[in-house]
Amino acid sequence: MSTLALRNSLVAALAVAMLPLLSACGGSSDTAAPDAGSGSTADGGTKTVDGAAQLTIPDGTDDATKKMYIEENAIAACMKKKGFTYTPHMASPEAADSLDGQDYALEKKQRQKYGFGTYAAAAYPDDPNAPGANTEGKMHGKVITPDDGDEKGFSAAQQKSYDEALNGIRPTTGTKTEREQPGGCSAEGRAKAYGPELSIKDQMKEQAEREEKNRANGLELNGDPELVQLAQKYANCLKAQGIPVSTTQPTGMFDMVRLDLTEEMPMHKPELTQAEALPLLTKDIAIAMKDLECGKEFRAAYFPKEKANPYWGSGA
């Protein structure tokens, strides 16, 4: 797979994740989201509202994360009305791995031990903080998919009813997009968080508008004189360290080395023993640190400008 193809596959996955599938159930999309902000505490927590478990939205939560809280709470409330228990969950922000070097001090600490993270889990099999670690269903010491017992002891018929309440009954006709639209309480949760139901046509129109805006933002970043100059300086530093450079576009530079190394790996990576992974990790750390230092000045300028012109992908 080419570097561009790899990056495009990552971009496609991100684009799907960013596209709210706005379908509502039961005409409830015009009501206020349940407990969207009341009772917030600094560290979050749970409470019960009308018999349904509800996550408390922490103070200072950004809008995108707040919508995820609202969605989870709305699903729980909807499922309770249908006679089922749904325990809302939010992934901990601490579970995210630092990869792009945006926070230099944090990334330096991360890369000094784990490199780009490619071999860290195999090299440190008992380290829950290693990127990619999944020790007994946990990541960074935190449960990824908690066993909340919501469906424990269900008969086949009860499980079917639960699934239909949560996801609706999938249509067997229509386009692939129409068949894959969420239904049931999942649709109601999406509508509570992101707005009323949109038609497939309007969803596709919004996606096209997002992609066009993204393309324009990419052109803005790649045409920025300061970023162009710093990207070239970054590339020259990498070349001096013996690290190949596949692009000098600002939008592709910050994670170019990591993605290029990923591309070089076999599609079906063999399971590595700790003894096999440790020397590979040592080499990975050396390259990751060179990349971090070479790109320090570039990243310090790039990410504030990227925040003003959000961009996903490369090669705009």
Side-chain angles (χ1 to χ4, degrees), residues 54 66 93 100 111 171 195 219 233 270 295:
Q54 298 282 274
K66 185 179 293 184
D100 57 22
R111 293 193 187 192
L219 292 173
K233 183 178 179 181

Side-chain angles (χ1 to χ4, degrees), residues 20-54:
L21 300 177
L22 304 175
S23 300
C25 71
S28 60
S29 62
D30 57 350
T31 60
D35 200 44
S38 62
S40 296
T41 61
D43 57 354
T46 59
K47 53 194 169 187
T48 302
V49 178
D50 296 331
Q54 298 282 274

Side-chain angles (χ1 to χ4, degrees), residues 210-289:
R210 276 191 290 269
E211 290 175 353
E212 177 56 29
K213 177 61 176 174
N214 182 68
R215 188 187 73 84
N217 286 348
L219 292 173
E220 178 72 21
L221 293 168
N222 286 332
D224 184 284
E226 180 188 20
L227 294 182
V228 170
Q229 182 180 23
L230 290 174
Q232 189 59 58
K233 183 178 179 181
Y234 180 7
N236 291 340
C237 178
L238 290 173
K239 291 174 183 177
Q241 298 283 349
I243 300 174
V245 173
S246 59
T247 182
T248 57
Q249 286 190 322
T251 53
M253 283 294 293
F254 71 90
D255 63 351
M256 175 199 64
V257 175
R258 177 175 63 86
L259 291 180
D260 284 356
L261 289 175
T262 302
E263 183 197 19
E264 293 175 1
M265 299 180 68
M267 290 295 290
H268 302 288
K269 300 185 289 292
E271 291 294 328
L272 297 174
T273 66
Q274 185 175 29
E276 291 169 333
L278 282 169
L280 295 173
L281 174 61
T282 299
K283 294 179 181 178
D284 194 50
I285 290 173
I287 297 174
M289 291 305 298

